[in-house]
Amino acid sequence: HYYLVSLISLLLVVLPSDATWSVAAWWRARRGREAPVVRLAHYGLLRAQLAIVYFFAGAAKLNGDWLLRAQPLRIWLRHFWEWPVVGPVFAWPGTAHGMSWFGAVFDLGVALAMSFRRTRPLAWLLAVAFHVTIGLMFPIGVFSFVMLASLTCFNEPQWPRRLLGRRAPAAAAPAPGGQVGAIHSAAGLSWSFYVFAVPYLCIQLLVPLRFALYPGWVNWTEQGFRFAWRVMLIEKTGHVDFHVTTSDPPRHWVTDGSSELTRLQLKMMSTQPDMIHEYALHLAERTRHELGVSEVAVRADAWVAFNGRRSQRLVDPEVDLAAQPRSLAHSSWILPLR
């Protein structure tokens, strides 16, 4: 969610988002300068970013756990079984399946429905119902607010003026090719827009697909999971013990990291292979520094329960993680999901 906020902030910096109703617009008006022309392609880039987020979020839900087992929603809805009146509704198995299917269909179709005037009112109704419900039921921070605010870029560009009953000032100086703040076609776009927009969109389309370069199920291995809009897909609980061994002098001890990590750090680290690897490297480096030894081996005994399944080993307990370099290549020490 913070990644999305960062991307939208970047787009607002490079696009002419200060054409009207901004300090820059006020300053230009005082000095008699023309406002920048806002073109349809500028809106298109913002809309494309949101469409990519929703599409990949929906496509990631097209798997057996989400559609057939209604996981992890079935697990999460247990917290509401004791609620008065609506508790039995959440306890009914069909509720989890219905919400799972609705979530997948909504994510796959909302951007397309928002793009057409006839379907936009229904899309807005579903978007408000969806995001408000998700925001009230689950601790996902600012996500619901950010998505609802961002979806306004699919509205007609003049919607703020219509909402407030205002008109564009008649005395405003016209921009080349139209009125101040008018929306124009892509004709006349500067080359710098294409230099930025084309690589940007390519990156946004390719990064979420990088999981296909790794073997195994991405929801289990989490290789290629981040920055791919794979939201609300997994429920993992786990525990990991690190076996630290030195050869000179020969010593061996076990630690779970609780002596220096917070509860949240422990929870996140114990179920994510790359974080387990990072902490193993940290343990090795700290041991070398504190004991003055050169050879340190760190092995991890990690057990994880994934989307309601029984707990199973996540990483190979025989592999010295301290000897594994940081790399974007496949980590062969991650055990496959049984």
Side-chain angles (χ1 to χ4, degrees), residues 204-221:
Q204 292 304 312
L205 289 170
L206 292 176
V207 167
L209 295 174
R210 73 191 189 282
F211 74 91
L213 301 176
Y214 299 98
W217 190 14
V218 58
N219 289 358
W220 170 254
T221 67

Side-chain angles (χ1 to χ4, degrees), residues 268-285:
M268 300 296 291
M269 181 269 294
S270 61
T271 61
Q272 301 183 51
D274 59 340
M275 291 190 179
I276 292 175
H277 183 209
E278 288 286 345
Y279 191 67
L281 294 173
H282 162 74
L283 284 175
E285 181 63 25

Side-chain angles (χ1 to χ4, degrees), residues 20 69 80 83 86 105 242 282 318 337:
T20 58
R69 300 178 63 236
F80 308 101
W83 279 20
V86 296
V105 172
F242 293 91
H282 162 74
E318 301 300 324
L337 178 68

Side-chain angles (χ1 to χ4, degrees), residues 63-127:
N63 64 78
D65 268 20
W66 185 268
L67 297 179
L68 302 180
R69 300 178 63 236
Q71 293 288 12
L73 272 179
R74 184 186 294 273
I75 296 174
W76 296 340
L77 289 180
R78 291 176 182 173
H79 299 287
F80 308 101
W81 285 5
E82 302 301 324
W83 279 20
V85 183
V86 296
V89 177
F90 289 127
W92 183 51
T95 300
H97 280 87
M99 292 179 66
S100 295
W101 278 80
F102 175 78
V105 172
F106 173 82
D107 284 345
L108 289 171
V110 64
L112 183 63
M114 283 283 185
S115 301
F116 297 96
R117 187 175 299 177
R118 289 186 177 182
T119 55
R120 192 174 297 138
L122 176 60
W124 262 113
L125 180 64
L126 295 177

Side-chain angles (χ1 to χ4, degrees), residues 36-204:
V37 177
V38 181
R39 301 188 181 277
L40 186 60
H42 298 143
Y43 277 86
L45 187 57
L46 283 168
R47 293 169 179 173
Q49 174 65 82
L50 289 174
I52 287 171
V53 173
Y54 277 112
F55 174 78
F56 279 112
K61 292 178 173 64
L62 302 181
N63 64 78
D65 268 20
W66 185 268
L67 297 179
L68 302 180
R69 300 178 63 236
Q71 293 288 12
L73 272 179
R74 184 186 294 273
I75 296 174
W76 296 340
L77 289 180
R78 291 176 182 173
H79 299 287
F80 308 101
W81 285 5
E82 302 301 324
W83 279 20
V85 183
V86 296
V89 177
F90 289 127
W92 183 51
T95 300
H97 280 87
M99 292 179 66
S100 295
W101 278 80
F102 175 78
V105 172
F106 173 82
D107 284 345
L108 289 171
V110 64
L112 183 63
M114 283 283 185
S115 301
F116 297 96
R117 187 175 299 177
R118 289 186 177 182
T119 55
R120 192 174 297 138
L122 176 60
W124 262 113
L125 180 64
L126 295 177
V128 171
F130 177 80
H131 285 298
V132 170
T133 300
I134 295 299
L136 291 175
M137 294 182 64
F138 306 114
I140 55 175
V142 299
F143 175 70
S144 294
F145 173 78
V146 168
M147 297 311 294
L148 286 175
S150 300
L151 281 173
T152 58
C153 76
F154 282 95
N155 293 345
E156 298 297 328
Q158 297 81 9
W159 74 269
R161 293 191 184 277
R162 293 175 180 173
L163 181 65
L164 299 177
R166 297 178 59 180
R167 295 182 179 181
Q179 296 298 319
V180 173
I183 309 303
H184 300 273
S185 67
L189 281 172
S190 66
W191 62 268
S192 59
F193 175 81
Y194 293 103
V195 169
F196 171 81
V198 174
Y200 178 88
L201 288 177
C202 289
I203 291 172
Q204 292 304 312

